[in-house]
Amino acid sequence: MKKKDRGHREKSEGKGVDDITSKTAGLNQDLKCQSIDEYQCTGNVEVDFLEVTALLGISEIPTVTHRQQAATSPSFEKGVEESPWGPKRQLLVDLESDDPKSVKAVKVFGWRTDEVMVKALNKILPSLNQLQTLHLWQAGLTPHTLVSLRPTLPLCSNLRTVVLEGNPGIKDSLHLLLSEDSNIAHLSLRHNQIDKEGACLIGSALSTTQSTNKNLISLNLAFNSIGDEGAKHIARGLRLNRSLLCLSLANNHIGDAGGASLAEILSPFPMCHEEIVERRRLLASRDQSPTPSDRPQSIPSSCSVDQGTNKGAKASGKRKDKPSSISIAGPKKDEGKMSKKVSDSKVQVPRTKQKSENKDRRQSIVDSEDKSGLGQNKADGEGIASTLLDPGVQHVGGKFIMPGNTALTSLNLAGNLLTECSMQLFCSSLQAQGDGGGGGGGGGGGGGLLRLSLSRNRCPSDCKAYLRIQEVMAQRDPLNKSSASQAEDGQGVAE
């Protein structure tokens, strides 16, 4: 009986320990769920989204819809992607494979993303290691929610494409996505009612004399209200930017004034006063900080050498390991005497000669800027310094001429208000770039425009300049060249 009682007691104690352990585990789990900061995301959006939204107290939680990734990179020139209709809000998640953690894109279509929902996204997005695209269409974003979302984007290591379309409330805050530390390569900002003020901020984010965006490759600003003044600001941002390859300004009410500013920066253009001042400052800072190997060694005078050798010979018998430092005092006395002799022998120069010397000095400064080794700063191909110190800068007629922006390969100006005058300007810019695109005009950073869309403007279809632009673009289009080469290869095989 005692053995049975003992065994029964041990079993009851064991059950009690198990109950306490399970209760403790449940308590720890409850403690974890009490704070969103302590929650560890798993990388599975469906699981994490339910947990995070519950912790934030969201009553109506959008459903998570997984879709197999079929398309490659999104095309910014096409219409808005259709979302599957449903009675409830959906968070669309594109997967690379069957693995629920292989998330390539997260998309919000047509429902409001308020501050609490942005907080949920800020928690989940950095845990998605394969995330490449974030798409928020008509999400009701505000300047505050955009500011809250922006610090999260650099934490997503593979995020390169951001689409914020149909959010007019953030039209004056979109430039925050173009900071120097931004990793975004493709940015689409269509249908945001961006006006000239927003375009001014975006142009300054593309480049100034002090900073430039080095990572943005394509920018879509179609279907906004940029106008002529906004186009001038965008063109100003393209003066020193050599990273942007594709730009769309379609359907933005841009007329000939804005078109002239955009056409100007495609071919060599004169530098403004601010750019010249910054260029000279960069040259001066580079010249004032030579490398140790380039620093000239001081040459002592003959008197100091004689004194140093004589006294050094006397002291050599006593201490051979200690160099003589007595010769330092010699040059100071001699230099003082020499300076007095030079000052006594000064001759007054006539004013006319001084004026001619000043002219020669100014001309020598210009020549030194033109002939100096400016290519050293361009070797890396990055940075605002390499653009301002472009070796292709020339001094012509009292002006510094900067090589045109030949890094831009695609420009879409369809559906605007351009007339025949703008067509002639663009035709001249293309001729300045050369038949091969860029014409090897050093420092542009690329080969020039390969695609220029000017359809649906206020220009007759039989305009000579417009027809000439179409011919040049057809010759430059790499797709046409590849198809032509394939046709020639086919004829060669047939023969």
Side-chain angles (χ1 to χ4, degrees):
M1 293 295 294
K2 293 182 178 180
K3 290 183 179 180
K4 291 181 179 180
D5 294 339
R6 187 184 300 172
H8 181 71
R9 187 185 302 170
E10 289 177 356
K11 288 181 180 180
S12 61
E13 290 178 356
K15 288 181 180 179
V17 172
D18 293 339
D19 292 340
I20 294 172
T21 304
S22 61
K23 289 180 180 179
T24 305
L27 182 61
N28 291 334
Q29 188 174 2
D30 292 338
L31 287 175
K32 280 187 178 181
C33 294
Q34 288 178 1
S35 173
I36 186 176
D37 296 330
E38 296 178 359
Y39 179 78
Q40 300 295 326
C41 292
T42 62
N44 187 328
V45 177
E46 188 171 6
V47 174
D48 294 335
F49 192 65
L50 290 175
E51 292 289 340
V52 171
T53 50
L55 289 172
L56 292 173
I58 300 177
S59 58
E60 185 181 355
I61 301 176
T63 58
V64 177
T65 303
H66 288 166
R67 303 187 306 176
Q68 192 71 23
Q69 182 74 11
T72 56
S73 59
S75 177
F76 289 161
E77 300 299 334
K78 295 181 180 179
V80 178
E81 183 179 351
E82 295 182 358
S83 61
W85 181 88
K88 294 183 179 180
R89 298 182 299 174
Q90 300 181 63
L91 184 67
L92 301 179
V93 177
D94 291 343
L95 301 177
E96 178 69 19
S97 62
D98 295 334
D99 185 3
K101 295 184 179 180
S102 62
V103 178
K104 286 193 67 175
V106 173
K107 303 180 180 181
V108 174
F109 285 148
W111 52 273
R112 179 176 173 79
T113 307
D114 55 10
E115 297 179 11
V116 181
M117 189 60 66
V118 168
K119 191 173 183 180
L121 293 176
N122 289 339
K123 182 68 177 179
I124 296 172
L125 294 179
S127 65
L128 307 178
N129 298 326
Q130 301 182 33
L131 181 65
Q132 299 179 9
T133 302
L134 177 62
H135 194 154
L136 301 176
W137 177 71
Q138 290 189 355
L141 295 177
T142 64
H144 183 72
T145 54
L146 181 62
V147 171
S148 301
L149 182 64
R150 186 177 69 91
T152 304
L153 303 183
L155 301 179
C156 304
S157 56
N158 291 317
L159 181 63
R160 294 295 179 269
T161 302
V162 175
V163 181
L164 299 181
E165 298 177 343
N167 297 279
I170 57 174
K171 62 180 182 179
D172 294 333
S173 303
L174 293 170
H175 66 283
L176 299 175
L177 301 173
L178 299 176
S179 58
E180 285 188 279
D181 59 347
S182 173
N183 294 327
I184 299 175
H186 308 281
L187 181 61
S188 181
L189 303 175
R190 298 184 302 172
H191 300 283
N192 287 320
Q193 299 180 10
I194 302 173
D195 51 14
K196 62 181 181 180
E197 286 80 9
C200 178
L201 296 172
I202 292 175
S204 299
L206 288 175
S207 77
T208 63
T209 56
Q210 304 294 331
S211 63
T212 185
N213 182 291
K214 304 180 183 66
N215 294 320
L216 190 65
I217 296 176
S218 64
L219 176 61
N220 194 338
L221 298 172
F223 297 97
N224 285 290
S225 303
I226 291 177
D228 285 336
E229 294 299 322
K232 292 178 181 179
H233 293 303
I234 299 297
R236 191 175 297 114
L238 295 175
R239 291 171 68 92
L240 301 178
N241 184 291
R242 295 298 182 267
S243 301
L244 190 67
L245 303 181
C246 302
L247 174 63
S248 177
L249 293 171
N251 300 281
N252 268 284
H253 313 289
I254 299 175
D256 288 334
S261 299
L262 293 168
E264 180 187 16
I265 56 99
L266 298 176
S267 58
F269 56 87
M271 298 176 67
C272 65
H273 175 72
E274 184 181 3
E275 293 168 347
I276 295 174
V277 171
E278 180 64 17
R279 179 173 180 269
R280 288 179 173 174
R281 189 191 69 79
L282 292 172
L283 284 170
S285 62
R286 187 193 64 182
D287 295 339
Q288 291 176 1
S289 57
T291 59
S293 59
D294 295 337
R295 292 176 182 172
Q297 298 180 354
S298 59
I299 303 175
S301 62
S302 59
C303 298
S304 63
V305 172
D306 296 338
Q307 292 177 2
T309 52
N310 293 332
K311 295 181 180 180
K314 293 179 181 179
S316 61
K318 298 180 181 180
R319 295 183 181 179
K320 295 183 179 180
D321 56 342
K322 189 173 183 180
S324 174
S325 60
I326 304 175
S327 61
I328 298 177
K332 293 183 179 179
K333 296 179 180 179
D334 295 336
E335 287 175 1
K337 295 178 180 180
M338 293 295 293
S339 62
K340 289 181 180 179
K341 291 181 180 180
V342 172
S343 61
D344 294 339
S345 59
K346 282 184 179 178
V347 181
Q348 294 184 353
V349 182
R351 293 183 178 179
T352 55
K353 192 173 182 181
Q354 288 180 353
K355 290 182 180 179
S356 61
E357 288 179 354
N358 292 334
K359 285 184 179 180
D360 296 338
R361 187 179 302 170
R362 287 195 297 268
Q363 185 62 33
S364 63
I365 293 174
V366 172
D367 295 338
S368 64
E369 290 182 356
D370 292 338
K371 298 178 181 180
S372 58
L374 301 179
Q376 296 176 358
N377 288 328
K378 194 178 181 296
D380 56 352
E382 295 182 357
I384 196 69
S386 63
T387 305
L388 286 173
L389 299 181
D390 195 307
V393 175
Q394 298 179 357
H395 187 259
V396 180
K399 296 182 179 180
F400 286 96
I401 306 299
M402 171 78 72
N405 186 336
T406 58
L408 194 67
T409 59
S410 176
L411 178 60
N412 188 353
L413 289 170
N416 283 291
L417 308 176
L418 304 177
T419 65
E420 186 175 356
C421 179
S422 295
M423 302 300 165
Q424 294 176 355
L425 294 176
F426 279 107
C427 186
S428 301
S429 297
L430 293 177
Q431 292 176 356
Q433 287 186 351
D435 293 337
L449 283 178
L450 302 177
R451 181 177 182 270
L452 176 60
S453 179
L454 296 171
S455 60
R456 294 182 286 108
N457 277 277
R458 293 183 176 179
C459 175
S461 58
D462 58 348
C463 173
K464 293 183 180 180
Y466 178 75
L467 295 176
R468 176 56 183 164
I469 291 174
Q470 299 304 313
E471 293 177 2
V472 174
M473 290 294 99
Q475 295 174 0
R476 293 188 181 184
D477 191 350
L479 296 178
N480 291 341
K481 292 180 180 179
S482 61
S483 60
S485 62
Q486 290 177 1
E488 292 178 357
D489 295 339
Q491 291 179 359
V493 172
E495 291 176 356

